[in-house]
Amino acid sequence: MLARLLATAMLLAVPVAAQEAAPAPAPAAPPKLIVTISVDQFSADLFAGYRPYFTGGLARMARGVVFSGYQSHAATETCPGHSTILTGSRPARSGIVANDWVDLKTAREDKTIYCAEDESVPGSTSDKYTVSPLHLLVPTLGDRMKATTPATRVVSVSGKDRAAVMMGGKRADQIWWWGGKGFVSYTGTAEAPIVARANAAIGAQLAKAQPALELPDYCKPRDVAVTAGSRTVGTGRFAREAGDARAFRASPEMDGATLALAAAFFEEMKLGRGEATDVLIVGASATDYVGHGYGTEGTEMCLQLTSLDRDLGAFFDVLDRSGVDYQVVLTADHGGHDLPERNVLHGITDAARAQTELSSKPMSDKVAAKLKLGEKRLLWGGNFGDIYLDPALKPKLRAKVMAEAIAQYRAHPQVAAVFTGEEIMATPSPSGPPESWTLIQRVRASYYPGRSGDFYVSLKPRITPIPVPGGAVATHGSIWDYDRRVPILFWRKGVTPFDQPNGVETVDILPTLASVIGLPIDPASIDGRCLDLDAGAASSCR
């Protein structure tokens, strides 16, 4: 089964129209399987732009219940975004404030903490870490289901460790992610036979060169070269030399392999065919690698989404043939913004790269010079987001450093706003339509004292925080809606389709799924609310 599915999912051809049976009435009983799919960096803009061209699995999702979703918080990164999807909790509650944060009080030399790291393990660093769900402070849907019904099985498979962990939670039966040359799990976890067979098949695929993909007609207008620093992007077709694992990861082949392994677990464990409802989680990471490496508007992204659409169709075909009644939700951990060089070509003349002087080290040097503090390091962080002050500073000097640093950032022409930790915590947790939140409300939804910075810096819209393009030419992570807006798509056999254009949040997914399966959730323990999936007068929210 696995070898056949891999052969199907990893052939990179142009998709053909999917054939679906006539709609059947929606089942009255709870589904036997919850399928959650996160497409990393799949912005609402990408979904809307390519929706007319989908013919496979994404077309099926687009014919379900379509919500205009928001990763409503400011920290629009992979780890915080994935932590919202199946916990119902914003980063301010879950503690997952960023992919990395700074802990200047830790004894180890590396003061950066990775979101899915157990830093207490000897030798662990933020780059070479021991993967753990330690920092996730709230339960996932799977954790809650297993606490109520131990027979529930939870499987999480992803191209990234943080996606697999943040959606799978602390009680998952199987958690696997791409480790560079194959799928791996927690330290000490024995390689499951199904994973060993998958890795062998992937290794055989990697050993072969990948020819350039054929470009569909609708991709051809995007075939325009753009220069970004020393790189030229926009015309790539994913030709790969034999054995090039990095090129494999940043290509449609990666998602094909991930979906193949998820389908193999579905078959091997007979998910959805036991006494309890099971959970199958898929983190499709390649769209993010493509977005970073090539931007969001070239042939590379067009081919990536074309292939993902086809591969999701093959994945759903496997589920359909089993006869299992499954509920699927598809969303994203964040959106994304195209590289500024192409934005400028498209008439967005205020798009630019962040100036290097915004980084915390040169800004620290500037503050130290202004206050005549010599070469003392005062600030840590990046060039936007959470900025941390030296905790050893005495209160009076700390206040002076804080005031001067904030003044320097606020005076910079590329900075939109700066908020202190005190200002952020004095702001009530936001509610209401996420599109109407103020900037400080967005930051409040991401702020967790002890992990978040002493103050927060927001760059202006369309300022890309990559000063010099290299391996990455484009990114995300901002406070702006192009990074916050994501699709939230639900599908189940017999669903009556409808589009809901008003903004909802990814934290609404957990209570919505909990209602579908009849799992009670204390509303006070989460930030989300149930979304009604019934197109008529009835409600799916119990």
Side-chain angles (χ1 to χ4, degrees):
M1 173 66 200
L2 176 62
R4 180 170 61 81
L5 184 59
L6 276 168
T8 299
M10 296 173 70
L11 283 174
L12 302 178
V14 179
V16 296
Q19 300 295 318
E20 290 191 20
K32 295 294 290 180
L33 178 67
I34 297 292
V35 179
T36 301
I37 301 169
S38 172
V39 179
D40 201 318
Q41 204 181 138
F42 188 43
S43 67
D45 293 333
L46 283 178
F47 173 67
Y50 284 94
R51 188 173 182 178
Y53 306 110
F54 294 143
T55 60
L58 288 170
R60 177 186 297 204
M61 298 306 302
R63 292 193 294 269
V65 179
V66 177
F67 288 98
S68 178
Y70 281 78
Q71 288 283 2
S72 50
H73 52 270
T76 50
E77 296 182 328
T78 303
C79 212
H82 281 106
S83 75
T84 69
I85 292 171
L86 288 178
T87 66
S89 297
R90 300 171 189 144
R93 185 189 295 262
S94 72
I96 306 300
V97 299
N99 286 347
D100 305 275
W101 54 85
V102 174
D103 181 2
L104 294 171
K105 296 180 180 179
T106 185
R108 76 181 193 183
E109 184 177 352
D110 177 16
K111 305 301 184 183
T112 300
I113 306 298
Y114 177 57
C115 62
E117 172 195 2
D118 182 355
E119 65 272 22
S120 68
V121 175
S124 184
T125 72
S126 57
D127 291 325
K128 296 182 179 179
Y129 47 82
T130 298
V131 178
S132 168
L134 172 71
H135 294 301
L136 182 63
L137 304 180
V138 293
T140 61
L141 175 66
D143 292 338
R144 291 175 181 272
M145 291 171 67
K146 289 179 78 70
T148 302
T149 309
T152 290
R153 294 165 298 168
V154 178
V155 175
S156 183
V157 178
S158 178
K160 294 183 180 180
D161 54 27
R162 53 190 179 269
V165 169
M166 294 300 150
M167 293 192 292
K170 298 183 178 180
R171 304 182 64 175
D173 298 89
Q174 299 284 345
I175 290 187
W176 296 87
W177 58 86
W178 181 249
K181 294 185 179 179
F183 285 94
V184 299
S185 190
Y186 294 124
T187 300
T189 302
E191 187 178 54
I194 193 71
V195 178
R197 295 198 295 273
N199 285 340
I202 292 167
Q205 179 78 10
L206 259 172
K208 303 174 184 176
Q210 171 64 49
L213 307 186
E214 182 180 349
L215 203 61
D217 286 342
Y218 57 82
C219 292
K220 290 177 181 177
R222 302 174 184 270
D223 191 9
V224 178
V226 179
T227 299
S230 61
R231 296 192 57 201
T232 299
V233 300
T235 62
R237 300 191 184 185
F238 297 111
R240 173 180 59 77
E241 295 181 359
D244 189 343
R246 284 185 62 85
F248 176 93
R249 185 186 70 169
S251 81
E253 292 180 284
M254 180 75 261
D255 285 344
T258 305
L259 288 163
L261 181 57
F265 270 118
F266 169 76
E267 295 282 34
E268 183 85 357
M269 296 177 65
K270 297 192 179 303
L271 298 176
R273 286 156 282 193
E275 57 182 278
T277 298
D278 295 322
V279 182
L280 179 58
I281 300 162
V282 181
S285 303
T287 302
D288 185 69
Y289 290 124
V290 171
H292 284 300
Y294 306 100
T296 62
E297 295 296 328
T299 58
E300 300 92 350
M301 187 59 76
C302 194
L303 286 167
Q304 162 60 20
L305 294 180
T306 295
S307 299
L308 177 62
D309 178 45
R310 189 225 40 251
D311 291 349
L312 281 169
F315 175 70
F316 291 147
D317 286 344
V318 173
L319 303 186
D320 292 342
R321 286 194 293 269
S322 72
V324 169
D325 175 21
Y326 64 95
Q327 169 73 64
V328 58
V329 59
L330 185 149
T331 189
D333 54 342
H334 52 73
H337 194 48
D338 198 23
L339 62 156
E341 291 82 0
R342 185 155 45 212
N343 277 326
V344 170
L345 290 178
H346 289 176
I348 308 300
T349 55
D350 57 347
R353 296 192 176 274
Q355 297 174 12
T356 56
E357 64 200 45
L358 279 168
S359 294
S360 61
K361 179 59 169 67
M363 189 63 78
S364 176
D365 293 341
K366 192 172 184 179
V367 172
K370 185 72 179 291
L371 298 178
K372 297 181 171 52
L373 296 176
E375 297 181 356
K376 184 176 179 59
R377 180 76 184 264
L378 303 171
L379 306 176
W380 281 261
N383 57 9
F384 78 111
D386 290 306
I387 306 295
Y388 301 79
L389 270 67
D390 181 357
L393 293 171
K394 300 295 184 182
K396 286 187 177 180
L397 181 56
R398 177 184 175 84
K400 288 183 179 180
V401 170
M402 173 85 85
E404 182 60 31
I406 289 175
Q408 292 289 345
Y409 276 108
R410 285 178 173 163
H412 197 281
Q414 290 188 324
V415 170
V418 182
F419 305 111
T420 67
E422 289 78 9
E423 290 171 333
I424 296 164
M425 288 305 296
T427 302
S429 293
S431 61
E435 62 268 33
S436 69
W437 292 4
T438 64
L439 298 188
I440 198 169
Q441 285 179 313
R442 301 175 194 189
V443 179
R444 179 65 182 88
S446 292
Y447 199 85
Y448 188 87
R451 293 184 183 176
S452 297
D454 294 291
F455 60 94
Y456 186 96
V457 175
S458 171
L459 300 180
K460 287 183 177 179
R462 300 169 179 168
I463 301 299
T464 296
I466 302 175
V468 180
V473 298
T475 193
H476 49 82
S478 82
I479 206 167
W480 307 109
D481 279 358
Y482 49 74
D483 284 341
R484 296 173 74 225
R485 293 179 58 248
V486 296
I488 301 178
L489 316 175
F490 291 88
W491 184 91
R492 189 180 180 189
K493 185 178 181 181
V495 67
T496 299
F498 67 89
D499 278 38
Q500 164 56 275
N502 296 308
V504 301
E505 299 180 65
T506 53
V507 294
D508 298 333
I509 293 171
L510 169 86
T512 302
L513 294 176
S515 181
V516 166
I517 61 175
L519 177 71
I521 300 287
D522 177 6
S525 70
I526 60 174
D527 297 308
R529 63 182 179 86
C530 180
L531 303 175
D532 183 9
L533 303 182
D534 192 300
S539 175
S540 62
C541 295
R542 307 179 186 186

